[in-house]
Amino acid sequence: MKLLTSPVLAWMRDVRGGFAAMRPSRFPYPRFALALALGVAGGLLFQRLSLPLPWMMGPMVFCTLAALLRAPVAAPPVIRPPMTMVIGVMLGAAFSPDLMARIPQWWPATLGLVAFIALCGGSVVWYFRAIGGYDRTTAYFAGMPGGLVEMISIGEERGGDGQVIALVHSVRILLIVMTLPFAIQWLEGVSLNRMAGAVSVFATPATAEVWLLGCGLAGCLLGHRLNLPAKYLLGPMLVSAAVHLAGWSDFKPPFEIVNAAQLILGVVIGCRFAGTAPRTVGRIILLSLGSTAILLFWTGACAALVSWLTGFRAMTLILAYSPGGLAEMSLIALAVHAEVAFVAAHHIIRIFVVMVAAAPVYAVIARFSRGQARSPAPRGMPAE
């Protein structure tokens, strides 16, 4: 009974904390209303122009520009979990009953992913040290291809600049999500204006909304119970996937609800830069343009090589390897009819590998560096 009630109590504490954070005395409703209005305007414009993922990218672009121009916009993180839950349920709905038979066939792509992580981490860390001039700790944890929250907390514990690490990772996600969909839409010749298989709320039975809510709530509890990373995304995705794999239901979340969730996610990502000095953000954006180019180069190179060796579709591998957001890349995969389970699984593995390996590898590097600093200089040579 204790094992059952513990995650329930933890989830209830989160819910109470979320409602408390929504009180008018704590939540910036006027600034959020402005950000939401800008997000709706961005979504409508991007949809009118047939740009990819309009209800995520439009709000993201408009709110990022507003934040950099110091407009009074804000989107506190407390509003993100319910929207992330919707996206998780939608991604789980893309799983098919024949999936389990194909999972053992993914191991070559997973090995390629591990090599990709090492190549990206090493080259981007070097870039931030040599070009950005950051100290070793800040450069290392800013250069890891994933684990935004974990890299910030571990980097600060090791003495790194937490604000720089946070901004670099935020800009990494922003730039990749803002560039990759356009590249895919151009290369594949497909429209990412609406999710594949999208259905309207007016064309779905009422049971679809019941399944959506039930999978979302059960997934949140599962995420707490298993202490999953990105628990409000992965928990609902796993429960929804289980429902579809078991054949209990084939429901699809209505696209109006999915668009609203994407709208909030885009607003939250864009408003991350609110309150930060434009000069600081500008320098990090310039540096991140270089690091993003490095990441996208390795993404394309590794995807092409693994595709040539294994026969996996190159575009699916690009989405699976790209160090953007799990939710964002999975949404693109859904739009181009790529295997969402394959893409999502590899993003989960990437985040897990970075979370588990980053700190131990840094400890080895730091110990090696200290050993070199203490070693005496060769005879006849000056010590550094």
Side-chain angles (χ1 to χ4, degrees):
M1 180 63 71
K2 185 177 180 180
L3 291 175
L4 176 64
T5 57
S6 179
V8 174
L9 292 175
W11 177 71
M12 290 179 64
R13 283 194 297 269
D14 273 7
V15 172
R16 285 198 299 268
F19 279 116
M22 299 293 290
R23 293 172 183 166
S25 59
R26 297 176 59 183
F27 193 88
Y29 281 102
R31 289 187 290 159
F32 176 62
L34 176 59
L36 202 59
L38 289 171
V40 171
L44 290 172
L45 178 63
F46 272 51
Q47 187 174 56
R48 181 65 181 270
L49 297 176
S50 297
L51 295 176
L53 298 179
W55 288 104
M56 182 174 65
M57 294 189 62
M60 190 189 309
V61 171
F62 272 47
C63 289
T64 297
L65 291 174
L68 294 179
L69 294 172
R70 295 190 171 182
V73 295
V78 68
I79 63 175
R80 178 167 178 148
M83 303 301 107
T84 305
M85 181 186 77
V86 172
I87 299 298
V89 173
M90 183 193 70
L91 296 178
F95 284 57
S96 58
D98 63 336
L99 171 68
M100 301 305 293
R102 297 198 303 274
I103 289 179
Q105 303 169 9
W106 295 352
W107 67 266
T110 304
L111 288 179
L113 174 65
V114 174
F116 165 78
I117 293 170
L119 290 168
C120 285
S123 54
V124 174
V125 169
W126 173 87
Y127 171 82
F128 282 132
R129 286 282 280 159
I131 308 300
Y134 294 137
D135 62 89
R136 183 180 64 213
T137 306
T138 300
Y140 179 85
F141 288 100
M144 290 296 101
L148 185 149
V149 175
E150 293 77 16
M151 294 306 101
I152 295 169
S153 59
I154 299 173
E156 286 181 328
E157 289 174 3
R158 302 298 192 277
D161 188 327
Q163 184 186 41
V164 169
I165 296 171
L167 285 173
V168 166
H169 280 284
S170 297
V171 172
R172 165 179 61 83
I173 295 171
L174 179 73
L175 290 178
I176 289 177
V177 172
M178 287 179 63
T179 55
L180 198 58
F182 289 98
I184 290 174
Q185 184 162 290
W186 176 65
L187 290 171
E188 291 285 288
V190 297
S191 174
L192 305 189
N193 195 260
R194 178 174 290 186
M195 296 295 101
V199 291
S200 171
V201 68
F202 301 108
T204 57
T207 53
E209 283 75 19
V210 175
W211 277 109
L212 170 63
L213 183 61
C215 288
L217 295 178
C220 291
L221 291 176
L222 180 67
H224 274 281
R225 178 70 186 89
L226 300 180
N227 196 25
L228 296 173
K231 57 190 173 186
Y232 290 109
L233 179 75
L234 294 184
M237 185 180 76
L238 291 175
V239 172
S240 177
V243 167
H244 286 81
L245 289 172
W248 296 340
S249 175
D250 60 352
F251 77 95
K252 303 286 183 184
F255 71 80
E256 292 91 348
I257 296 176
V258 174
N259 286 349
Q262 292 183 69
L263 166 67
I264 299 298
L265 290 178
V267 168
V268 171
I269 293 173
C271 288
R272 279 179 178 169
F273 304 99
T276 307
R279 174 178 287 185
T280 301
V281 176
R283 182 175 186 273
I284 290 177
I285 287 177
L286 287 176
L287 282 171
S288 295
L289 286 172
S291 64
T292 301
I294 295 171
L295 291 170
L296 291 177
F297 167 78
W298 285 122
T299 300
C302 291
L305 179 60
V306 173
S307 176
W308 178 68
L309 291 173
T310 65
F312 284 107
R313 185 184 174 199
M315 192 56 61
T316 302
L317 288 166
I318 287 174
L319 291 173
Y321 288 0
S322 176
L326 166 61
E328 292 81 6
M329 293 303 103
S330 298
L331 285 169
I332 299 171
L334 196 64
V336 298
H337 302 272
E339 192 164 36
V340 175
F342 179 90
V343 172
H346 283 80
H347 277 278
I348 294 167
I349 293 169
R350 172 178 58 83
I351 294 167
F352 178 78
V353 169
V354 171
M355 286 170 52
V356 170
V361 171
Y362 176 78
V364 172
I365 294 172
R367 188 160 50 246
F368 177 74
S369 300
R370 286 195 298 269
Q372 281 193 324
R374 286 196 297 266
S375 62
R379 185 173 298 177
M381 296 292 291
E384 292 184 359

